[in-house]
Amino acid sequence: MINDFKPTVSAVSSAVEKVDADALVLGVAKGPEGPILLPNPLADKAARGVADSLQALGASGAADQLLRLPGVDGFKSETLVLIGVGPLTGEPDGGVSLEALRRAAGAAVRQLSSADSVALALPAATVDQVTAVAEGAALGAYSFPHFKSSEEARSKTPVAHIAVLTELKDKHTKPALGRAAVVADAVRAVRDLVNTPPSHLYPESFAEIVKTQSKTTKLKVKVWDEKDLEKDGFGGLLGVGSGSSRKPRLVRVEYSPAKPIAHIALVGKGITFDSGGLSLKPANAMVTMKLDMAGAATAYAVVRAAAELNLPVKVTSWLCLAENMPSDTAQRPEDVITIYGGKTVEVLNTDAEGRLVMADGLVAASEEHPDAIIDIATLTGAQMIALGVRTVGVMGNDDLRDDLVEASQDAGESHWAMPIPEEARSGFDSEVADLTNTADRFGGMLNAAAFLREFVGDRADADPKALDADAKRIPWAHIDLAGPAFNEKAPYGYTPKGGTGVSVRTLLTYLEGVRRA
């Protein structure tokens, strides 16, 4: 179920006393000797009565700390709000990073959900700062009330009107606000899909959502149903989906500008619910398994946003959709399945299913010989053991992997480069098929990447006689966001509880930086 709510975010260049908002937000940072009120020239008058009283008011500057104060005389805003930005870092133009501003704006808007309008007087002296504040605020304005029984609860929306106070002129802020709106909308779309219960989101309904939403866009959509998948030999999707009455789908979504400078393929894991199949998960491990389609949701949201931003890059997204359930028709441990393209896999654990549907998608994407392939998946519990629940693992070709990590830093997300050890592939050796679907549990995230790499095809210009398999292969990277895709704990910054939409900003930043192939 996709949320139609979109906050309006505008830039306001008038003094704060003229701004009519339910809440006026000022930023407080942790300085070396105590809290410091962050500058915004348009809010100087409001700041005068607060700056010398921060400690007395209980403001520490700690990230996410929010204090509400009675409205200041002479101002239209009903409430004055102090939001913690975190420690000063020595950054130019205000001493705080763009991500700190993004998180502070999001934290303020998220915690002011009862307000209809909010004015943000955070540092906004540069276009980058305006973008960060606008983006964070739009990300913070999120809720998912669709399955509440109360009409009042379902109709309640987050902050609807957000103003960013800046002295910059419209010609500078308009493009920044436009991009921020598209990016935030893409993140919210992923959150909505991830948060939708598996009773309502399953392979067919997911495919229908994509088809319906794409009718009035620049996107082209092709859907393979179970008959098409069988005809074309997509054994990974068919095997994983064989235990469910709700049959698998493969969805290809294409955005192609008139003269693309490059072609990037995205392959997304879309397990709409993962019970583990016959290798059944423990009951408590199933509770969050509606999240297992976050990779496909991300791939879809990114190609849609690329089209809205008119990027000069062709993007094709392959959404590999299946529901992994146990039944008398489910695939069994020791079954052998044939992946699209002909490679065979001995299934030793039906709960290692994501790599099987991704294998189909990687082969299909490779057939079009894109300039690079990036797959996105909530693939392994080992990702959380290695990197925790806020840092995404990135593996693959060194150059592409490092470009994605750099893009994540620019976007304000936490992605970390990880290796694929030389010995990882040997763990998948099978005596009866080309590969097994499981290997040593130690280094499980890295091993899973080695499995996926086996299904990435060769470059169109590759020398068939070349001995170096990596040099022949299409540049490829694997993003494992198993933990960061879903926040099980309390909300923080612009991140709500539930689906997070992580990696959308990183991938869009990467696509914006792609050069001619």
Side-chain angles (χ1 to χ4, degrees):
M1 185 173 292
I2 301 299
N3 195 336
D4 293 329
F5 170 79
K6 297 180 182 180
T8 61
V9 184
S10 59
V12 175
S13 57
S14 59
V16 72
E17 54 265 31
K18 298 180 182 179
V19 176
D20 189 5
D22 295 333
L24 166 65
V25 179
L26 303 176
V28 181
K30 290 183 71 172
E33 298 179 1
I36 298 174
L37 198 67
L38 293 177
N40 185 301
L42 297 175
D44 280 350
K45 187 174 180 181
R48 287 188 203 121
V50 176
D52 295 332
S53 306
L54 292 177
Q55 288 183 323
L57 292 169
S60 67
D64 281 23
Q65 184 195 46
L66 184 138
L67 299 175
R68 292 177 173 87
L69 308 176
V72 181
D73 290 341
F75 293 86
K76 294 183 179 179
S77 300
E78 296 177 3
T79 306
L80 186 64
V81 175
L82 303 179
I83 185 66
V85 180
L88 292 173
T89 59
E91 299 282 338
D93 301 320
V96 293
S97 69
L98 295 176
E99 177 61 5
L101 291 177
R102 192 181 286 112
R103 290 184 180 182
V109 170
R110 174 176 57 77
Q111 295 178 77
L112 293 168
S113 59
S114 60
D116 179 64
S117 58
V118 171
L120 296 163
L122 296 168
T126 68
V127 171
D128 286 344
Q129 288 181 332
V130 171
T131 302
V133 173
E135 193 175 279
L139 292 173
Y142 179 79
S143 66
F144 191 75
H146 310 299
F147 293 92
K148 300 287 188 180
S149 61
S150 162
E151 175 63 29
E152 181 181 358
R154 288 198 306 273
S155 61
K156 184 179 179 181
T157 60
V159 176
H161 305 287
I162 299 164
V164 180
L165 272 62
T166 176
E167 292 185 307
L168 296 176
K169 297 187 180 300
D170 285 350
K171 65 179 181 180
H172 299 301
T173 60
K174 189 174 181 179
L177 296 180
R179 181 189 183 278
V182 172
V183 171
D185 187 41
V187 172
R188 287 196 303 271
V190 174
R191 292 174 179 175
D192 284 346
L193 287 165
V194 170
N195 289 332
T196 300
S199 53
H200 291 68
L201 187 72
Y202 43 92
E204 184 179 2
S205 67
F206 196 148
E208 284 300 318
I209 288 171
V210 174
K211 286 172 60 178
T212 300
Q213 291 189 342
S214 300
K215 285 180 179 178
T216 58
T217 70
K218 304 170 187 176
L219 303 177
K220 295 180 181 179
V221 178
K222 179 179 179 180
V223 178
W224 283 258
D225 64 16
E226 65 270 29
K227 292 180 180 178
D228 299 323
L229 294 172
E230 185 172 2
K231 176 184 174 183
D232 291 343
F234 286 94
L237 282 157
L238 289 168
V240 173
S242 62
S244 175
S245 61
R246 303 193 288 194
K247 298 306 178 184
R249 295 288 187 270
L250 176 65
V251 182
R252 180 185 182 276
V253 189
E254 176 188 311
Y255 160 63
S256 186
K259 295 180 180 180
I261 62 173
H263 176 196
I264 307 299
L266 306 176
V267 179
K269 174 186 172 185
I271 304 299
T272 56
F273 184 75
D274 183 16
S275 70
L278 290 180
S279 304
L280 197 65
K281 294 178 183 289
N284 62 351
M286 288 190 218
V287 172
T288 60
M289 282 300 104
K290 65 181 181 180
L291 70 81
D292 218 12
M293 36 56 65
T298 301
Y300 167 54
V302 169
V303 69
R304 192 177 79 174
E308 291 183 41
L309 292 170
N310 295 311
L311 299 185
V313 181
K314 178 179 178 180
V315 183
T316 51
S317 288
W318 298 81
L319 317 183
C320 307
L321 310 177
E323 185 176 56
N324 188 24
M325 297 290 284
S327 74
D328 60 346
T329 61
Q331 67 179 358
R332 297 159 291 261
E334 296 191 317
D335 277 358
V336 172
I337 63 174
T338 302
I339 300 298
Y340 180 67
K343 284 187 179 179
T344 57
V345 178
E346 181 184 12
V347 179
L348 297 183
N349 184 338
T350 65
D351 195 23
E353 85 298 328
R355 62 199 66 183
L356 301 177
V357 302
M358 295 289 281
D360 276 344
L362 287 167
V363 176
S366 297
E367 287 185 338
E368 298 183 353
H369 298 290
D371 297 296
I373 299 174
I374 302 167
D375 75 65
I376 313 110
T378 49
L379 204 65
T380 66
Q383 179 275 325
M384 291 180 274
I385 294 171
L387 296 173
V389 295
R390 295 194 186 183
T391 299
V392 174
V394 187
M395 292 135 278
N397 297 82
D398 290 353
D399 290 345
L400 180 55
R401 177 197 65 190
D402 294 346
D403 285 347
L404 286 167
V405 171
E406 183 178 348
S408 79
Q409 294 167 350
D410 292 340
E413 294 189 311
S414 179
H415 290 53
W416 197 258
M418 299 294 286
I420 304 177
E422 182 180 350
E423 69 276 9
R425 166 61 182 85
S426 63
F428 294 97
D429 289 342
S430 169
E431 294 184 4
V432 299
D434 295 329
L435 304 98
T436 65
N437 74 326
T438 58
D440 194 331
R441 71 184 184 90
F442 297 110
M445 174 175 60
L446 317 181
N447 296 337
F451 177 92
L452 293 177
R453 184 175 58 187
E454 292 295 303
F455 299 92
V456 179
D458 290 343
R459 308 166 69 115
D461 59 354
D463 180 357
K465 297 180 180 180
L467 298 178
D468 187 345
D470 286 337
K472 291 169 58 179
R473 192 177 288 118
I474 296 168
W476 158 81
H478 164 57
I479 294 176
D480 192 337
L481 38 69
F486 198 86
N487 176 29
E488 295 186 57
K489 298 182 179 179
Y492 59 92
Y494 47 73
T495 302
K497 188 172 184 178
T500 65
V502 69
S503 292
V504 167
R505 286 154 45 206
T506 291
L507 287 165
L508 286 172
T509 301
Y510 165 77
L511 290 174
E512 289 172 323
V514 168
R515 299 292 180 260
R516 185 171 296 278

